C-alpha cells in the first residue's frame, strides 16, 4: 500500500508516526487503513482497517522480538539432492 499522509501522534505515552495508507490495492475490502509506527525505531505498534460498512478494526502489536544478526549463509540457496532445478530468470 502507498502512504497518502503522515502525522505525528502519541499512543500509550509513546511518540508514534501514523501513516494513512491507500486501500485501493485491496479492492472493496477496505475503505481506510492506517499503520502506527514507533517514533524511536519505526517498528509497527498498531494497525487499523475500515470496511465498506464503516466497521473499524484495530490490531495492537506487542512483544516484537528483533533478530540482532542474521548470518549471510541464511540467504544463500542450498540445492536439494534429487530435485531438478530450473533457472527461470
Amino acid at each position: 500500500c502507498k502512504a497518502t499522509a503522515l502525522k505525528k501522534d502519541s499512543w500509550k505515552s509513546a511518540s508514534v508516526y501514523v501513516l494513512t495508507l491507500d486501500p485501493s490495492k485491496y479492492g472493496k475490502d477496505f475503505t481506510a487503513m492506517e499503520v502506527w509506527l514507533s517514533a524511536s525505531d519505526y517498528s509497527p505498534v498498531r494497525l487499523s482497517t475500515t470496511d465498506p460498512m464503516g466497521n473499524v478494526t484495530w490490531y495492537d502489536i506487542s512483544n516484537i522480538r528483533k533478530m540482532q544478526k542474521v548470518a549471510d549463509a541464511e540467504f544463500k540457496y542450498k540445492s536439494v539432492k534429487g530435485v531438478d532445478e530450473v533457472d527461470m530468470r
Side-chain angles (χ1 to χ4, degrees):
C1 292
K2 292 182 181 179
T4 59
L6 170 69
K7 68 179 179 180
K8 195 162 186 174
D9 207 335
S10 63
W11 184 64
K12 291 189 175 181
S13 303
S15 184
V16 295
Y17 293 110
V18 181
L19 290 172
T20 301
L21 304 176
D22 174 8
S24 62
K25 176 180 178 181
Y26 296 99
K28 297 178 182 178
D29 293 333
F30 302 114
T31 58
M33 299 172 75
E34 286 184 343
V35 61
W36 295 38
L37 304 173
S38 166
S40 64
D41 65 1
Y42 305 105
S43 62
V45 294
R46 197 170 205 211
L47 306 169
S48 75
T49 58
T50 305
D51 69 22
M53 295 189 66
N55 299 308
V56 179
T57 303
W58 288 97
Y59 306 88
D60 293 345
I61 301 168
S62 60
N63 298 323
I64 292 179
R65 293 184 211 136
K66 298 177 189 175
M67 296 178 68
Q68 296 302 318
K69 189 172 182 179
V70 178
D72 290 342
E74 294 294 323
F75 296 96
K76 292 184 181 171
Y77 177 74
K78 299 170 188 150
S79 61
V80 178
K81 195 173 194 174
V83 174
D84 291 334
E85 298 175 14
V86 178
D87 186 350
M88 299 186 69
R89 285 183 274 181

